[in-house]
Amino acid sequence: MALLDEAPAPCVLYLSRINFVVLGVLVVFGFLYYVSVFCVIVPWLSYSVPGITNMGLLTLTTGLSLYCYIFCVLLDAGRPPADYQPDQERSSVLEVKRKDGAPRFCQKCNHYKPPRSHHCRKCQRCVLRMDHHCPWTNNCIGHANYRAFFLFLIYVNAALMHVVGLLAAHGLHILQTSHANRVLRTGPQAKPVQLAGGWIESVWLWAVLQAVAFMVALPLTIGLLLLLIWHVQLIMVNKTTIEYQEGVTANVTAAASGIVVAAAASFQHPYDLGLYQNMMTIFGSNPAAWLLPPLRPTSGGTSYPTKWDEGRADDGEHEARLLGF
């Protein structure tokens, strides 16, 4: 059984998604990279083996994270086909409305919703396997770009932790050198500077730049690292952020209405296939390529395997399980 529908995904660029927020993120990318390379690595480590190694690693992680970020900004998150119809015979799970048990239908888009899809009010359309709308990419994170988003979190955390480490280590180096009243090489040209020199010729200009970069990089590292940990937990159970929030809401509603907690806890997330299968569903069937940046949007998105599909094939069960949304 194929893990995903293998229909080819269109690769369309939407340049209109580049707004001031996206440009601001790109400016932060450039600022942190410039300060780390030309104000820390070059003057401090020069073009030695440690200097070249640090510059190469930082360039690699920054380039990969920037590529995945642009991927999430410009490419579509995945939209349902206009002629999509729910097929009860094909899947062992049928997502239905809570009110009347009818197949989920989007009144605004005027078509049926595939499993795990939701309507985004900001994008004003339905998104396949919608996780959330990200204001920092001015785009939704969904089926077609979720892998790129997760890889972005990995690459950008590696780059930011490298930047924070370099800035902190070089800050200590500046303090020790200044305390010993020795000449310090800093700035893009690694020129010798003195504490008593003018603003441009002194260490203070570059110290301020590095302090600003550190104050920007540190909270970004903490926030994005927490976001990465959160999405690792979601991937382990093959849930989206929306599905997690719906599960929490259902549990709270069940407790408030007096339903036995054990009954509420007995609900099983249908798309949780186990850690390895969950990762294959999201990253593809080749583990060697899981950490490689994507070349095109993830294909499929209108159907997903469930934990009941294998049992259904064995015992010939054709009755779909109904999930209320």
Side-chain angles (χ1 to χ4, degrees):
M1 178 187 63
L3 286 175
L4 291 175
D5 188 0
E6 296 299 332
C11 190
V12 182
L13 300 180
Y14 293 87
L15 297 179
S16 60
R17 294 205 177 102
I18 300 179
N19 59 5
F20 287 108
V21 174
V22 173
L23 291 177
V25 172
L26 296 178
V27 169
V28 171
F29 264 99
F31 173 69
L32 293 179
Y33 181 81
Y34 174 84
V35 173
S36 300
V37 173
F38 297 104
C39 299
V40 176
I41 296 177
V42 172
W44 184 28
L45 302 175
S46 187
Y47 294 100
S48 61
V49 173
I52 295 297
T53 301
N54 277 277
M55 189 184 304
L57 287 176
L58 184 60
T59 302
L60 177 64
T61 54
T62 302
L64 289 173
S65 58
L66 184 60
Y67 171 84
C68 288
Y69 176 75
I70 296 298
F71 192 103
C72 292
V73 172
L74 297 183
L75 293 177
D76 196 270
R79 58 185 67 208
D83 58 350
Y84 172 79
Q85 294 287 333
D87 187 356
Q88 181 172 332
E89 296 297 325
R90 185 176 179 182
S91 176
S92 57
V93 170
L94 180 63
E95 296 181 358
V96 297
K97 297 179 181 179
R98 288 193 180 97
K99 294 182 179 179
D100 54 9
R104 297 166 63 231
F105 187 86
C106 182
Q107 300 293 340
K108 297 179 180 179
C109 297
N110 196 32
H111 61 63
Y112 287 103
K113 294 181 181 180
R116 315 183 78 178
S117 65
H118 296 273
H119 186 88
C120 177
R121 290 176 294 179
K122 295 187 177 180
C123 294
Q124 297 182 351
R125 63 179 181 83
C126 288
V127 178
L128 296 175
R129 195 188 180 274
M130 180 177 174
D131 188 89
H132 67 285
H133 181 89
C134 179
W136 303 106
T137 62
N138 193 31
N139 194 11
C140 277
I141 304 300
H143 172 82
N145 62 359
Y146 183 79
R147 177 171 177 258
F149 172 74
F150 186 78
L151 291 178
F152 163 75
L153 292 179
I154 294 177
Y155 299 145
V156 78
N157 274 286
L160 284 172
M161 287 188 284
H162 194 176
V163 167
V164 169
L166 284 172
L167 292 172
H170 193 244
L172 292 176
H173 171 70
I174 291 177
L175 293 177
Q176 293 171 354
T177 304
S178 302
H179 181 72
N181 199 25
R182 298 198 304 267
V183 173
L184 176 69
R185 292 182 178 272
T186 188
Q189 283 83 35
K191 293 180 178 179
V193 296
Q194 300 285 350
L195 288 174
W199 176 253
I200 298 298
E201 297 178 356
S202 76
V203 71
W204 298 115
L205 172 63
W206 312 113
V208 169
L209 281 177
Q210 292 177 45
V212 172
F214 185 82
M215 288 187 293
V216 171
L218 183 60
L220 280 177
T221 304
I222 296 173
L224 289 173
L225 183 59
L226 292 175
L227 186 60
L228 173 62
I229 294 173
W230 165 247
H231 279 277
V232 167
Q233 294 176 335
L234 290 178
I235 287 176
M236 291 177 65
V237 293
N238 200 359
K239 283 187 178 182
T240 64
T241 300
I242 292 178
E243 288 169 349
Y244 173 83
Q245 293 172 342
E246 287 178 341
V248 171
T249 303
N251 289 339
V252 172
T253 304
S257 61
I259 298 177
V260 180
V261 178
S266 64
F267 173 78
Q268 295 179 325
H269 185 59
Y271 304 108
D272 183 5
L273 309 175
L275 178 60
Y276 183 69
Q277 293 295 329
N278 291 344
M279 296 181 69
M280 290 185 67
T281 302
I282 296 171
F283 298 109
S285 57
N286 183 12
W290 283 354
L291 295 180
L292 297 180
L295 299 177
R296 61 180 299 118
T298 304
S299 60
T302 58
S303 63
Y304 295 90
T306 70
K307 61 175 57 183
W308 297 305
D309 286 334
E310 183 177 356
R312 178 189 180 196
D314 292 339
D315 59 17
E317 178 186 358
H318 293 286
E319 180 180 357
R321 292 169 172 83
L322 302 182
L323 300 180
F325 288 88

